[in-house]
Amino acid sequence: MTTWALIALLCGLGLLLALLTGTVSAALPHATAPRWPDRLRRGAAAFGITLTLYIALVGMVVGLVVLLGMRST
């Protein structure tokens, strides 16, 4: 049960972080994106990039923990 709670916490944290990044990126004005569709496209790209990097980072950390745990047994 604790494992599933930790997995749910990590997933929720990653989605929250990516959503926050995408929202801030879409809300900030920029000279290359003067219209709302351009800003939303930039926000969606920031959301996708952040979520992808978060998944990769968590995957590497979990893999490293599993690998180190297997070495000690």
Side-chain angles (χ1 to χ4, degrees):
M1 185 69 173
T2 305
T3 305
W4 288 111
L6 185 60
I7 290 171
L9 180 68
L10 283 174
C11 291
L13 184 66
L15 283 174
L16 183 65
L17 180 69
L19 184 64
L20 184 67
T21 305
T23 304
V24 168
S25 178
L28 292 176
H30 196 268
T32 61
R35 299 178 310 159
W36 272 105
D38 298 330
R39 293 167 94 181
L40 291 176
R41 190 176 300 117
R42 189 179 65 184
F47 173 82
I49 290 169
T50 305
L51 195 58
T52 302
L53 290 175
Y54 182 79
I55 290 170
L57 178 68
V58 168
M60 286 190 303
V61 169
V62 168
L64 186 62
V65 167
V66 168
L67 182 65
L68 291 177
M70 291 173 58
R71 283 181 61 192
S72 64
T73 59

PDB file of all heavy atoms in Angstrom, residues 6-38:
ATOM      1  N   LEU A   6       3.229   6.111  -2.752  1.00  0.00           N
ATOM      2  CA  LEU A   6       4.409   6.839  -3.211  1.00  0.00           C
ATOM      3  C   LEU A   6       4.381   7.043  -4.726  1.00  0.00           C
ATOM      4  O   LEU A   6       4.716   8.126  -5.214  1.00  0.00           O
ATOM      5  CB  LEU A   6       5.676   6.091  -2.799  1.00  0.00           C
ATOM      6  CG  LEU A   6       6.994   6.783  -3.096  1.00  0.00           C
ATOM      7  CD1 LEU A   6       7.064   8.118  -2.381  1.00  0.00           C
ATOM      8  CD2 LEU A   6       8.150   5.895  -2.692  1.00  0.00           C
ATOM      9  N   ILE A   7       3.957   6.036  -5.450  1.00  0.00           N
ATOM     10  CA  ILE A   7       3.845   6.157  -6.904  1.00  0.00           C
ATOM     11  C   ILE A   7       2.799   7.210  -7.269  1.00  0.00           C
ATOM     12  O   ILE A   7       3.024   8.050  -8.149  1.00  0.00           O
ATOM     13  CB  ILE A   7       3.504   4.797  -7.535  1.00  0.00           C
ATOM     14  CG1 ILE A   7       4.711   3.857  -7.423  1.00  0.00           C
ATOM     15  CG2 ILE A   7       3.082   4.951  -8.991  1.00  0.00           C
ATOM     16  CD1 ILE A   7       4.424   2.436  -7.804  1.00  0.00           C
ATOM     17  N   ALA A   8       1.654   7.192  -6.584  1.00  0.00           N
ATOM     18  CA  ALA A   8       0.614   8.200  -6.840  1.00  0.00           C
ATOM     19  C   ALA A   8       1.109   9.603  -6.503  1.00  0.00           C
ATOM     20  O   ALA A   8       0.813  10.566  -7.224  1.00  0.00           O
ATOM     21  CB  ALA A   8      -0.635   7.865  -6.038  1.00  0.00           C
ATOM     22  N   LEU A   9       1.881   9.725  -5.430  1.00  0.00           N
ATOM     23  CA  LEU A   9       2.441  11.028  -5.055  1.00  0.00           C
ATOM     24  C   LEU A   9       3.416  11.526  -6.108  1.00  0.00           C
ATOM     25  O   LEU A   9       3.380  12.705  -6.498  1.00  0.00           O
ATOM     26  CB  LEU A   9       3.131  10.922  -3.699  1.00  0.00           C
ATOM     27  CG  LEU A   9       3.774  12.199  -3.176  1.00  0.00           C
ATOM     28  CD1 LEU A   9       2.692  13.209  -2.828  1.00  0.00           C
ATOM     29  CD2 LEU A   9       4.638  11.897  -1.979  1.00  0.00           C
ATOM     30  N   LEU A  10       4.279  10.659  -6.606  1.00  0.00           N
ATOM     31  CA  LEU A  10       5.227  11.058  -7.647  1.00  0.00           C
ATOM     32  C   LEU A  10       4.512  11.462  -8.934  1.00  0.00           C
ATOM     33  O   LEU A  10       4.882  12.446  -9.573  1.00  0.00           O
ATOM     34  CB  LEU A  10       6.212   9.923  -7.928  1.00  0.00           C
ATOM     35  CG  LEU A  10       7.322   9.728  -6.908  1.00  0.00           C
ATOM     36  CD1 LEU A  10       8.122   8.475  -7.234  1.00  0.00           C
ATOM     37  CD2 LEU A  10       8.217  10.933  -6.843  1.00  0.00           C
ATOM     38  N   CYS A  11       3.499  10.706  -9.320  1.00  0.00           N
ATOM     39  CA  CYS A  11       2.744  11.042 -10.529  1.00  0.00           C
ATOM     40  C   CYS A  11       2.011  12.375 -10.373  1.00  0.00           C
ATOM     41  O   CYS A  11       2.024  13.206 -11.286  1.00  0.00           O
ATOM     42  CB  CYS A  11       1.747   9.934 -10.857  1.00  0.00           C
ATOM     43  SG  CYS A  11       2.509   8.407 -11.401  1.00  0.00           S
ATOM     44  N   GLY A  12       1.372  12.550  -9.235  1.00  0.00           N
ATOM     45  CA  GLY A  12       0.660  13.808  -8.986  1.00  0.00           C
ATOM     46  C   GLY A  12       1.594  15.001  -8.951  1.00  0.00           C
ATOM     47  O   GLY A  12       1.281  16.060  -9.488  1.00  0.00           O
ATOM     48  N   LEU A  13       2.757  14.829  -8.335  1.00  0.00           N
ATOM     49  CA  LEU A  13       3.738  15.914  -8.276  1.00  0.00           C
ATOM     50  C   LEU A  13       4.252  16.267  -9.676  1.00  0.00           C
ATOM     51  O   LEU A  13       4.399  17.441 -10.011  1.00  0.00           O
ATOM     52  CB  LEU A  13       4.896  15.515  -7.373  1.00  0.00           C
ATOM     53  CG  LEU A  13       5.959  16.567  -7.140  1.00  0.00           C
ATOM     54  CD1 LEU A  13       5.381  17.730  -6.368  1.00  0.00           C
ATOM     55  CD2 LEU A  13       7.131  15.960  -6.401  1.00  0.00           C
ATOM     56  N   GLY A  14       4.503  15.253 -10.493  1.00  0.00           N
ATOM     57  CA  GLY A  14       4.971  15.510 -11.854  1.00  0.00           C
ATOM     58  C   GLY A  14       3.937  16.236 -12.695  1.00  0.00           C
ATOM     59  O   GLY A  14       4.260  17.181 -13.430  1.00  0.00           O
ATOM     60  N   LEU A  15       2.679  15.810 -12.585  1.00  0.00           N
ATOM     61  CA  LEU A  15       1.622  16.492 -13.337  1.00  0.00           C
ATOM     62  C   LEU A  15       1.434  17.929 -12.861  1.00  0.00           C
ATOM     63  O   LEU A  15       1.233  18.830 -13.674  1.00  0.00           O
ATOM     64  CB  LEU A  15       0.312  15.719 -13.209  1.00  0.00           C
ATOM     65  CG  LEU A  15       0.210  14.465 -14.062  1.00  0.00           C
ATOM     66  CD1 LEU A  15      -1.073  13.714 -13.726  1.00  0.00           C
ATOM     67  CD2 LEU A  15       0.252  14.811 -15.533  1.00  0.00           C
ATOM     68  N   LEU A  16       1.498  18.136 -11.559  1.00  0.00           N
ATOM     69  CA  LEU A  16       1.355  19.487 -11.028  1.00  0.00           C
ATOM     70  C   LEU A  16       2.496  20.387 -11.493  1.00  0.00           C
ATOM     71  O   LEU A  16       2.268  21.534 -11.900  1.00  0.00           O
ATOM     72  CB  LEU A  16       1.298  19.441  -9.501  1.00  0.00           C
ATOM     73  CG  LEU A  16       1.075  20.771  -8.794  1.00  0.00           C
ATOM     74  CD1 LEU A  16      -0.304  21.318  -9.138  1.00  0.00           C
ATOM     75  CD2 LEU A  16       1.228  20.604  -7.307  1.00  0.00           C
ATOM     76  N   LEU A  17       3.712  19.874 -11.446  1.00  0.00           N
ATOM     77  CA  LEU A  17       4.873  20.652 -11.898  1.00  0.00           C
ATOM     78  C   LEU A  17       4.773  20.987 -13.383  1.00  0.00           C
ATOM     79  O   LEU A  17       5.010  22.133 -13.792  1.00  0.00           O
ATOM     80  CB  LEU A  17       6.156  19.872 -11.620  1.00  0.00           C
ATOM     81  CG  LEU A  17       7.458  20.532 -12.033  1.00  0.00           C
ATOM     82  CD1 LEU A  17       7.726  21.736 -11.151  1.00  0.00           C
ATOM     83  CD2 LEU A  17       8.587  19.536 -11.941  1.00  0.00           C
ATOM     84  N   ALA A  18       4.399  20.007 -14.205  1.00  0.00           N
ATOM     85  CA  ALA A  18       4.275  20.248 -15.639  1.00  0.00           C
ATOM     86  C   ALA A  18       3.128  21.219 -15.945  1.00  0.00           C
ATOM     87  O   ALA A  18       3.253  22.086 -16.812  1.00  0.00           O
ATOM     88  CB  ALA A  18       4.060  18.933 -16.372  1.00  0.00           C
ATOM     89  N   LEU A  19       2.023  21.083 -15.231  1.00  0.00           N
ATOM     90  CA  LEU A  19       0.899  21.986 -15.441  1.00  0.00           C
ATOM     91  C   LEU A  19       1.263  23.413 -15.057  1.00  0.00           C
ATOM     92  O   LEU A  19       0.931  24.367 -15.767  1.00  0.00           O
ATOM     93  CB  LEU A  19      -0.310  21.507 -14.625  1.00  0.00           C
ATOM     94  CG  LEU A  19      -1.594  22.291 -14.795  1.00  0.00           C
ATOM     95  CD1 LEU A  19      -2.100  22.160 -16.226  1.00  0.00           C
ATOM     96  CD2 LEU A  19      -2.634  21.793 -13.831  1.00  0.00           C
ATOM     97  N   LEU A  20       1.968  23.569 -13.950  1.00  0.00           N
ATOM     98  CA  LEU A  20       2.400  24.891 -13.517  1.00  0.00           C
ATOM     99  C   LEU A  20       3.357  25.520 -14.534  1.00  0.00           C
ATOM    100  O   LEU A  20       3.237  26.693 -14.878  1.00  0.00           O
ATOM    101  CB  LEU A  20       3.068  24.802 -12.143  1.00  0.00           C
ATOM    102  CG  LEU A  20       3.494  26.103 -11.515  1.00  0.00           C
ATOM    103  CD1 LEU A  20       2.268  26.930 -11.156  1.00  0.00           C
ATOM    104  CD2 LEU A  20       4.324  25.844 -10.288  1.00  0.00           C
ATOM    105  N   THR A  21       4.293  24.726 -15.028  1.00  0.00           N
ATOM    106  CA  THR A  21       5.243  25.227 -16.027  1.00  0.00           C
ATOM    107  C   THR A  21       4.533  25.639 -17.315  1.00  0.00           C
ATOM    108  O   THR A  21       4.820  26.689 -17.883  1.00  0.00           O
ATOM    109  CB  THR A  21       6.304  24.158 -16.341  1.00  0.00           C
ATOM    110  OG1 THR A  21       6.926  23.763 -15.132  1.00  0.00           O
ATOM    111  CG2 THR A  21       7.332  24.667 -17.312  1.00  0.00           C
ATOM    112  N   GLY A  22       3.621  24.807 -17.783  1.00  0.00           N
ATOM    113  CA  GLY A  22       2.874  25.134 -18.995  1.00  0.00           C
ATOM    114  C   GLY A  22       2.013  26.371 -18.832  1.00  0.00           C
ATOM    115  O   GLY A  22       1.922  27.209 -19.741  1.00  0.00           O
ATOM    116  N   THR A  23       1.391  26.514 -17.660  1.00  0.00           N
ATOM    117  CA  THR A  23       0.546  27.682 -17.406  1.00  0.00           C
ATOM    118  C   THR A  23       1.365  28.968 -17.366  1.00  0.00           C
ATOM    119  O   THR A  23       0.979  29.982 -17.964  1.00  0.00           O
ATOM    120  CB  THR A  23      -0.205  27.501 -16.073  1.00  0.00           C
ATOM    121  OG1 THR A  23      -0.948  26.288 -16.127  1.00  0.00           O
ATOM    122  CG2 THR A  23      -1.140  28.645 -15.813  1.00  0.00           C
ATOM    123  N   VAL A  24       2.480  28.925 -16.675  1.00  0.00           N
ATOM    124  CA  VAL A  24       3.327  30.115 -16.589  1.00  0.00           C
ATOM    125  C   VAL A  24       3.886  30.471 -17.960  1.00  0.00           C
ATOM    126  O   VAL A  24       3.929  31.642 -18.352  1.00  0.00           O
ATOM    127  CB  VAL A  24       4.459  29.902 -15.559  1.00  0.00           C
ATOM    128  CG1 VAL A  24       5.505  30.989 -15.653  1.00  0.00           C
ATOM    129  CG2 VAL A  24       3.889  29.841 -14.162  1.00  0.00           C
ATOM    130  N   SER A  25       4.287  29.453 -18.716  1.00  0.00           N
ATOM    131  CA  SER A  25       4.833  29.712 -20.051  1.00  0.00           C
ATOM    132  C   SER A  25       3.785  30.318 -20.978  1.00  0.00           C
ATOM    133  O   SER A  25       4.096  31.189 -21.792  1.00  0.00           O
ATOM    134  CB  SER A  25       5.371  28.412 -20.645  1.00  0.00           C
ATOM    135  OG  SER A  25       5.853  28.622 -21.940  1.00  0.00           O
ATOM    136  N   ALA A  26       2.552  29.869 -20.858  1.00  0.00           N
ATOM    137  CA  ALA A  26       1.490  30.425 -21.709  1.00  0.00           C
ATOM    138  C   ALA A  26       1.063  31.813 -21.249  1.00  0.00           C
ATOM    139  O   ALA A  26       0.630  32.634 -22.056  1.00  0.00           O
ATOM    140  CB  ALA A  26       0.289  29.490 -21.707  1.00  0.00           C
ATOM    141  N   ALA A  27       1.178  32.092 -19.968  1.00  0.00           N
ATOM    142  CA  ALA A  27       0.705  33.368 -19.444  1.00  0.00           C
ATOM    143  C   ALA A  27       1.698  34.509 -19.663  1.00  0.00           C
ATOM    144  O   ALA A  27       1.298  35.667 -19.758  1.00  0.00           O
ATOM    145  CB  ALA A  27       0.412  33.247 -17.952  1.00  0.00           C
ATOM    146  N   LEU A  28       2.983  34.196 -19.732  1.00  0.00           N
ATOM    147  CA  LEU A  28       3.977  35.255 -19.895  1.00  0.00           C
ATOM    148  C   LEU A  28       3.970  35.790 -21.320  1.00  0.00           C
ATOM    149  O   LEU A  28       4.017  35.022 -22.280  1.00  0.00           O
ATOM    150  CB  LEU A  28       5.374  34.721 -19.562  1.00  0.00           C
ATOM    151  CG  LEU A  28       5.624  34.371 -18.103  1.00  0.00           C
ATOM    152  CD1 LEU A  28       6.999  33.763 -17.954  1.00  0.00           C
ATOM    153  CD2 LEU A  28       5.481  35.588 -17.232  1.00  0.00           C
ATOM    154  N   PRO A  29       3.901  37.082 -21.478  1.00  0.00           N
ATOM    155  CA  PRO A  29       3.941  37.654 -22.827  1.00  0.00           C
ATOM    156  C   PRO A  29       5.338  37.526 -23.431  1.00  0.00           C
ATOM    157  O   PRO A  29       6.343  37.564 -22.719  1.00  0.00           O
ATOM    158  CB  PRO A  29       3.568  39.115 -22.611  1.00  0.00           C
ATOM    159  CG  PRO A  29       3.878  39.393 -21.198  1.00  0.00           C
ATOM    160  CD  PRO A  29       3.741  38.100 -20.454  1.00  0.00           C
ATOM    161  N   HIS A  30       5.357  37.359 -24.736  1.00  0.00           N
ATOM    162  CA  HIS A  30       6.636  37.250 -25.435  1.00  0.00           C
ATOM    163  C   HIS A  30       6.459  37.850 -26.821  1.00  0.00           C
ATOM    164  O   HIS A  30       5.392  37.762 -27.434  1.00  0.00           O
ATOM    165  CB  HIS A  30       7.058  35.780 -25.528  1.00  0.00           C
ATOM    166  CG  HIS A  30       8.501  35.625 -25.878  1.00  0.00           C
ATOM    167  ND1 HIS A  30       8.934  35.499 -27.163  1.00  0.00           N
ATOM    168  CD2 HIS A  30       9.602  35.574 -25.090  1.00  0.00           C
ATOM    169  CE1 HIS A  30      10.251  35.375 -27.163  1.00  0.00           C
ATOM    170  NE2 HIS A  30      10.676  35.409 -25.912  1.00  0.00           N
ATOM    171  N   ALA A  31       7.520  38.427 -27.346  1.00  0.00           N
ATOM    172  CA  ALA A  31       7.439  39.108 -28.644  1.00  0.00           C
ATOM    173  C   ALA A  31       7.198  38.129 -29.791  1.00  0.00           C
ATOM    174  O   ALA A  31       6.587  38.480 -30.792  1.00  0.00           O
ATOM    175  CB  ALA A  31       8.729  39.886 -28.896  1.00  0.00           C
ATOM    176  N   THR A  32       7.660  36.877 -29.647  1.00  0.00           N
ATOM    177  CA  THR A  32       7.480  35.912 -30.735  1.00  0.00           C
ATOM    178  C   THR A  32       6.093  35.281 -30.715  1.00  0.00           C
ATOM    179  O   THR A  32       5.730  34.580 -31.658  1.00  0.00           O
ATOM    180  CB  THR A  32       8.535  34.797 -30.635  1.00  0.00           C
ATOM    181  OG1 THR A  32       8.372  34.111 -29.396  1.00  0.00           O
ATOM    182  CG2 THR A  32       9.925  35.369 -30.739  1.00  0.00           C
ATOM    183  N   ALA A  33       5.329  35.471 -29.636  1.00  0.00           N
ATOM    184  CA  ALA A  33       3.994  34.882 -29.541  1.00  0.00           C
ATOM    185  C   ALA A  33       2.992  35.953 -29.120  1.00  0.00           C
ATOM    186  O   ALA A  33       2.535  35.983 -27.975  1.00  0.00           O
ATOM    187  CB  ALA A  33       4.011  33.733 -28.537  1.00  0.00           C
ATOM    188  N   PRO A  34       2.596  36.845 -30.039  1.00  0.00           N
ATOM    189  CA  PRO A  34       1.697  37.933 -29.653  1.00  0.00           C
ATOM    190  C   PRO A  34       0.239  37.495 -29.494  1.00  0.00           C
ATOM    191  O   PRO A  34      -0.516  38.135 -28.783  1.00  0.00           O
ATOM    192  CB  PRO A  34       1.843  38.924 -30.804  1.00  0.00           C
ATOM    193  CG  PRO A  34       2.224  38.089 -31.970  1.00  0.00           C
ATOM    194  CD  PRO A  34       3.033  36.945 -31.428  1.00  0.00           C
ATOM    195  N   ARG A  35      -0.158  36.404 -30.151  1.00  0.00           N
ATOM    196  CA  ARG A  35      -1.570  35.991 -30.101  1.00  0.00           C
ATOM    197  C   ARG A  35      -1.739  34.818 -29.143  1.00  0.00           C
ATOM    198  O   ARG A  35      -0.800  34.077 -28.853  1.00  0.00           O
ATOM    199  CB  ARG A  35      -2.051  35.596 -31.496  1.00  0.00           C
ATOM    200  CG  ARG A  35      -1.964  36.753 -32.493  1.00  0.00           C
ATOM    201  CD  ARG A  35      -2.400  36.330 -33.864  1.00  0.00           C
ATOM    202  NE  ARG A  35      -1.694  35.100 -34.236  1.00  0.00           N
ATOM    203  CZ  ARG A  35      -2.126  34.260 -35.165  1.00  0.00           C
ATOM    204  NH1 ARG A  35      -3.219  34.514 -35.813  1.00  0.00           N
ATOM    205  NH2 ARG A  35      -1.443  33.175 -35.446  1.00  0.00           N
ATOM    206  N   TRP A  36      -2.985  34.624 -28.660  1.00  0.00           N
ATOM    207  CA  TRP A  36      -3.259  33.564 -27.696  1.00  0.00           C
ATOM    208  C   TRP A  36      -2.989  32.169 -28.239  1.00  0.00           C
ATOM    209  O   TRP A  36      -2.446  31.327 -27.510  1.00  0.00           O
ATOM    210  CB  TRP A  36      -4.695  33.669 -27.181  1.00  0.00           C
ATOM    211  CG  TRP A  36      -4.763  34.573 -26.007  1.00  0.00           C
ATOM    212  CD1 TRP A  36      -5.241  35.843 -25.983  1.00  0.00           C
ATOM    213  CD2 TRP A  36      -4.290  34.302 -24.696  1.00  0.00           C
ATOM    214  NE1 TRP A  36      -5.103  36.385 -24.729  1.00  0.00           N
ATOM    215  CE2 TRP A  36      -4.523  35.450 -23.919  1.00  0.00           C
ATOM    216  CE3 TRP A  36      -3.687  33.214 -24.097  1.00  0.00           C
ATOM    217  CZ2 TRP A  36      -4.184  35.528 -22.575  1.00  0.00           C
ATOM    218  CZ3 TRP A  36      -3.352  33.282 -22.760  1.00  0.00           C
ATOM    219  CH2 TRP A  36      -3.605  34.432 -22.020  1.00  0.00           C
ATOM    220  N   PRO A  37      -3.338  31.854 -29.477  1.00  0.00           N
ATOM    221  CA  PRO A  37      -3.027  30.496 -29.953  1.00  0.00           C
ATOM    222  C   PRO A  37      -1.522  30.193 -29.936  1.00  0.00           C
ATOM    223  O   PRO A  37      -1.117  29.068 -29.619  1.00  0.00           O
ATOM    224  CB  PRO A  37      -3.566  30.481 -31.382  1.00  0.00           C
ATOM    225  CG  PRO A  37      -4.645  31.498 -31.391  1.00  0.00           C
ATOM    226  CD  PRO A  37      -4.182  32.563 -30.449  1.00  0.00           C
ATOM    227  N   ASP A  38      -0.719  31.193 -30.232  1.00  0.00           N
ATOM    228  CA  ASP A  38       0.732  30.992 -30.181  1.00  0.00           C
ATOM    229  C   ASP A  38       1.208  30.773 -28.744  1.00  0.00           C
ATOM    230  O   ASP A  38       2.071  29.938 -28.481  1.00  0.00           O
ATOM    231  CB  ASP A  38       1.459  32.196 -30.776  1.00  0.00           C
ATOM    232  CG  ASP A  38       1.115  32.417 -32.236  1.00  0.00           C
ATOM    233  OD1 ASP A  38       0.818  31.422 -32.930  1.00  0.00           O
ATOM    234  OD2 ASP A  38       1.128  33.583 -32.671  1.00  0.00           O
TER     235      ASP A  38
END
